[in-house]
Amino acid sequence: MKFGNSFLYQLKPEWKESYIHYIDLKLYLKNKVPFGDEEEEDFKNKIQKDLQMVRDFTENKYNELNNIVISCEKKIEELSQSEDTDYSEINEQLSVATNDILELDKYIRLNSLGFSKILKKHDKLTNYKIKMNYIEELKGFPFNINFNDLIIKLSKLFAITNVDPFKNAKNNNNTGTEHFVRSTSKYWVHKNNITAVKCSILKHLPVNIYNSKTGRFDPGITSIYFDNSDFDLYVGRLKLLKGAEAFRIRWYGAVDSSDTVYMERKINQGAKISESSHKERFPLEEKYVNDYLSGKYNFEEKIKYYRENGLRTEKQLEELERFSTEYQDAVIKKNLKPVLRTFYNRIAFQFPDHARIRISLDTDLCMIREDNFGRPRSKDNWRREDVKTDFPFAYLPEEDITRFPFGILEIKLQTQYGVKAPQWIEDLINSHLVEQIPKFSKFVHGVSVLNKDRVPLLPYWLPQLDVLEMKEKDMRLNENNENLKKKKNSEASNQTHQNHVLNVSATPRKKSIEYCEPQLNHFANEK
């Protein structure tokens, strides 16, 4: 199906006057022969007029959605001061707002594609080349909007109006260095489906604001991964060898000499999809990292300070001493050096008082070389000093960076209860919105792409990058054809079209995921 027809079948009928006038612009290009300076100026004016129209429409709709959220916040506050705890009407308004976000997201993406297509057609049919002049405009508002502010607000309100099924379940708190073993499932999410995935989760889990230092949503996460010149750690992680280790240094937001970073080790528990990695970590001030990695700094004084001031339990101090020593010894004995940096923006969903289910969605994922192969990068430092946290890192040479084209959805579940996930998770993982990629690793992917001539093996998922892109195109094409059939056979097709974004595919893939939900009798006993 040609884009012009596809465009007409995808637009929302109620908003049809607010889309780019793609068909009119296409006819203008074909009918204005010869196409001279006057026609060119007229065409550019039409483009600018449509761009401004889309900006204004998006801004107005976004403000309307924000006003709905504010109204719901006030209603919830009023209800909290009364004996009425019926949130059904508010829940309905929140659901409508969530669906409107999906519609607005689709509107933005369709217009973005429309502008790109018509500019490409212009450059092909005329002697004027202008598409490159609009690249920055098509990267700016509203085409770069991610709706995170609204999604965070909506998720908080849903958390109030919905009942947490694990509210009365006991929680297992970690002590000492942070230990947590979870079963993990990973999925790729096409950029067209990022907002739809967020909206399918926010109704059930609140967004986790994990930057406790600022108390605000700060999604940027950076990690430096270590390996030796033979890439032994890479091979162990790629082969899913039991006990294979990954050493990294992680921080949140920007980092400077006064900030804290986290020294982390992940140990693979096995090759089965349901088996997760065991992770440990401890904090370290950034200014001590180089000395710690070289063996010049240890935790004796810090442990002594903690003990004398009663800041840690004896068990926590023993764990800190053990793990900090193991980490340091491994780096020195295995001759580990920085080889890869990963950066991404993360939105995580989790109930604040337990981690029985935790879902994260990483976008804007970039992998950057930190090694000194061929030329110095990190040099003798633990990280490159010429790279900040300024996505998309346009200043880096192409051989030093790979930008991952999809989002990464990760579902972490406790498995002690051994029962299935709730239906909304089953619906999500069996829909066209996600593609399961078992044991996907950012570290392995980045090394395999940026140092493919130096590593002995490549991960199985590399060819699937093109496959997922083709599947998404086929899905959209089939969707448009189905809409055309329905439009011919039913006057009610508009409603079907508006709701298609979250439809489960006609032939769902067989997937299952275990969930740590307590048995019903556990709830009964605790009540």
Side-chain angles (χ1 to χ4, degrees), residues 320-457:
L320 177 58
E321 182 177 21
R322 174 195 61 79
F323 180 46
S324 63
T325 301
E326 290 177 1
Y327 192 113
Q328 188 178 61
D329 288 347
V331 170
I332 295 172
K333 292 177 181 178
K334 296 180 180 181
N335 196 27
L336 302 182
K337 304 293 182 183
V339 295
L340 184 78
R341 174 187 302 227
T342 63
F343 171 87
Y344 48 88
N345 287 307
R346 168 170 290 182
I347 184 168
F349 300 83
Q350 177 185 335
F351 284 111
D353 55 348
H354 64 77
R356 283 173 171 76
I357 176 170
R358 185 177 190 273
I359 300 179
S360 62
L361 179 60
D362 299 336
T363 55
D364 304 326
L365 171 59
C366 295
M367 293 89 155
I368 300 169
R369 290 182 67 173
E370 291 281 333
D371 62 78
N372 294 315
F373 302 131
R375 64 179 180 84
R377 293 181 180 86
S378 58
K379 302 176 183 177
D380 293 327
N381 197 35
W382 68 274
R383 63 181 173 93
R384 292 176 67 154
E385 296 185 282
D386 62 330
V387 179
K388 308 301 180 184
T389 54
D390 43 355
F391 174 85
F393 310 98
Y395 50 85
L396 286 175
E398 286 303 308
E399 64 267 21
D400 276 12
I401 185 170
T402 180
R403 299 172 181 88
F404 197 71
F406 308 125
I408 307 295
L409 181 73
E410 192 169 50
I411 302 178
K412 295 183 177 181
L413 305 169
Q414 292 180 351
T415 57
Q416 62 266 38
Y417 297 104
V419 297
K420 286 187 176 181
Q423 190 59 46
W424 67 269
I425 291 184
E426 295 289 345
D427 291 343
L428 173 60
I429 65 176
N430 284 290
S431 73
H432 71 269
L433 298 176
V434 301
E435 183 73 19
Q436 187 171 19
I437 307 294
K439 296 294 184 177
F440 174 78
S441 163
K442 300 181 182 78
F443 165 57
V444 169
H445 183 85
V447 170
S448 69
V449 173
L450 295 172
N451 275 294
K452 58 180 177 293
D453 295 331
R454 292 183 173 87
V455 296
L457 297 169

